[in-house]
Amino acid sequence: MTPFGEKLRALRAGRGITLKEMAAALQVSSAYLSALEHGHRGQPTDGLIHQICGYFGLIWDDAEALHHLAEISHPRVVIDTAGLSPTATRLAHRLSKNIAGLDEEALVSLLSQVEERHRKPE
């Protein structure tokens, strides 16, 4: 599941809306909506995100947050290490091969380390 899919499912479940009902309202198939929720489909279009925001009545910060989640939710990530150090390339390869074996605690720890480093001025 992607961050976008997790949020979409929470919005839908929180309002007691079935997948079929939401799909019909958005004029997409329930299979496509399910694939978005489970991370089996790529990033939704801006148009669909806009429709979803309208469907749930999301405005301002909530709509912007949903757009951001969509931006970071493509299930197939490509890391371009061209021009970076050999260590960066090694890390990218190691992560791609081993991410499925990491538990949630390890994932949270790695993510917090990267985000903390990103926040610090270079």
Side-chain angles (χ1 to χ4, degrees):
M1 187 172 281
T2 63
F4 178 82
E6 181 179 46
K7 180 64 175 180
L8 186 59
R9 177 176 262 185
L11 286 167
R12 190 174 57 73
R15 290 168 173 78
I17 300 166
T18 67
L19 197 62
K20 201 173 207 177
E21 291 169 334
M22 185 174 169
L26 297 175
Q27 299 180 338
V28 298
S29 72
S30 55
Y32 174 71
L33 208 52
S34 177
L36 272 179
E37 283 189 2
H38 289 93
H40 299 298
R41 289 301 299 255
Q43 184 177 357
T45 65
D46 284 340
L48 181 58
I49 298 167
H50 184 73
Q51 281 182 276
I52 293 168
C53 288
Y55 182 75
F56 288 115
L58 304 179
I59 58 171
W60 306 106
D61 291 344
D62 292 332
E64 187 176 320
L66 191 64
H67 275 275
H68 175 70
L69 288 176
E71 289 173 1
I72 64 168
S73 289
H74 198 291
R76 299 201 184 270
V77 178
V78 175
I79 301 174
D80 182 2
T81 61
L84 300 179
S85 74
T87 305
T89 301
R90 183 175 172 205
L91 173 62
H93 279 273
R94 179 63 58 104
L95 187 57
S96 74
K97 290 186 183 307
N98 295 295
I99 194 165
L102 297 174
D103 62 21
E104 192 66 19
E105 183 180 340
L107 292 169
V108 168
S109 175
L110 286 169
L111 181 60
S112 67
Q113 288 178 50
V114 171
E115 288 179 342
E116 180 63 30
R117 182 71 179 176
H118 183 70
R119 280 190 281 270
K120 290 181 181 176
E122 302 280 324

